Amino acid sequence: GAVVSQHPSWVICKSGTSVKIECRSLDFQATTMFWYRQFPKQSLMLMATSNEGSKATYEQGVEKDKFLINHASLTLSTLTVTSAHPEDSSFYICSARLRDTYEQYFGPGTRLTVT
Amino acid sequence: KNEVEQSPQNLTAQEGEFITINCSYSVGISALHWLQQHPGGGIVSLFMLSSGKKKHGRLIATINIQEKHSSLHITASHPRDSAVYICAVFSGTYKYIFGTGTRLKVLA
């Protein structure tokens, strides 16, 4: 089956620093990847849609200068949390959509803690 | 009111019980997806449905497009089935609309 990896799986960083999270589709091409954020015991919240070769589309209320998304290839999208603050601490999950289908496959998630 | 509602929100069952989780939606959909999220956070795709019924092992998913309703059944439940089950729909776009989730705990 289709596999999506995320790296790192967890990261602790100091307030004010930037953190990059990678999302890779390992065995398929993903023209579209999605980035989600999840708080404890809450549902996934879509942050942005990342299309290969074009600018990401951000959901209302998500700061694009804060959460930089790059989708440089058909198998890699990155999310960079810039100037992280403790309130950015969360679980970040990506998913990759199989080309020309509705099927999406999720990465294992990245737990970010900002101290 | 959420566009995708799940019931129950929480469910505790004894090992071996038959479990049903329900999902109702109020929008037109292209497809419906049942997802499973384990305590560690990883999300697994269980079924994608646009009509009828699908079965995989002990899991069965059904959808009734006219009634805008889907059910996920687990037969002979096991403690390893303990997870959050999420119903998500696609309504005209490739973006999910998520249900509220059902937290299932199966006791040995």
Side-chain angles (χ1 to χ4, degrees):
Chain A
V3 178
V4 175
S5 70
Q6 266 184 257
H7 179 80
S9 54
W10 60 271
V11 57
I12 302 171
C13 71
K14 289 188 183 298
S15 190
T17 61
S18 295
V19 173
K20 181 185 283 189
I21 303 169
E22 290 186 350
C23 177
R24 291 182 186 272
S25 56
L26 297 186
D27 50 3
F28 66 99
Q29 292 184 336
T31 51
T32 306
M33 290 184 173
F34 301 89
W35 286 97
Y36 300 90
R37 184 173 180 176
Q38 187 178 36
F39 292 104
K41 297 198 174 182
Q42 292 191 24
S43 189
L44 295 162
M45 182 190 80
L46 179 65
M47 298 174 67
T49 302
S50 166
N51 292 297
E52 187 266 337
S54 64
K55 289 185 180 179
T57 303
Y58 290 82
E59 295 299 301
Q60 196 170 13
V62 177
E63 298 174 59
K64 60 182 180 184
D65 295 329
K66 172 79 172 168
F67 298 100
L68 298 178
I69 291 171
N70 184 274
H71 194 153
S73 76
L74 287 171
T75 59
L76 173 64
S77 176
T78 60
L79 167 68
T80 302
V81 183
T82 62
S83 188
H85 287 105
E87 57 265 31
D88 299 324
S89 299
S90 190
F91 191 60
Y92 293 88
I93 309 175
C94 72
S95 72
R97 182 173 69 85
L98 193 62
R99 190 201 290 255
D100 297 329
T101 75
Y102 284 104
E103 294 183 47
Q104 286 190 33
Y105 298 92
F106 287 85
T110 296
R111 192 162 302 281
L112 170 64
T113 302
V114 185
T115 61
Chain B
K1 191 175 181 347
N2 290 337
E3 292 171 303
V4 182
E5 295 274 359
Q6 283 183 239
S7 63
Q9 289 189 9
N10 295 284
L11 179 58
T12 300
Q14 289 295 134
E15 183 174 359
E17 285 185 10
F18 180 84
I19 289 164
T20 296
I21 299 170
N22 295 299
C23 174
S24 297
Y25 50 91
S26 57
V27 295
I29 69 167
S30 307
L32 182 144
H33 211 160
W34 280 102
L35 306 167
Q36 180 192 52
Q37 185 170 30
H38 281 282
I43 294 177
V44 175
S45 171
L46 297 177
F47 297 104
M48 179 165 285
L49 297 160
S50 54
S51 65
K53 176 180 175 177
K54 287 190 177 179
K55 184 176 190 293
H56 181 71
R58 295 180 295 107
L59 301 178
I60 303 166
T62 63
I63 188 168
N64 185 317
I65 297 295
Q66 287 73 28
E67 294 185 5
K68 295 190 173 180
H69 181 268
S70 176
S71 293
L72 176 69
H73 305 286
I74 305 175
T75 60
S77 59
H78 190 276
R80 64 175 174 267
D81 297 325
S82 299
V84 176
Y85 292 83
I86 304 167
C87 170
V89 304
F90 296 102
S91 178
T93 74
Y94 290 117
K95 293 195 295 188
Y96 279 121
I97 303 173
F98 290 103
T100 47
T102 295
R103 194 170 298 272
L104 171 65
K105 187 170 186 177
V106 181
L107 304 175

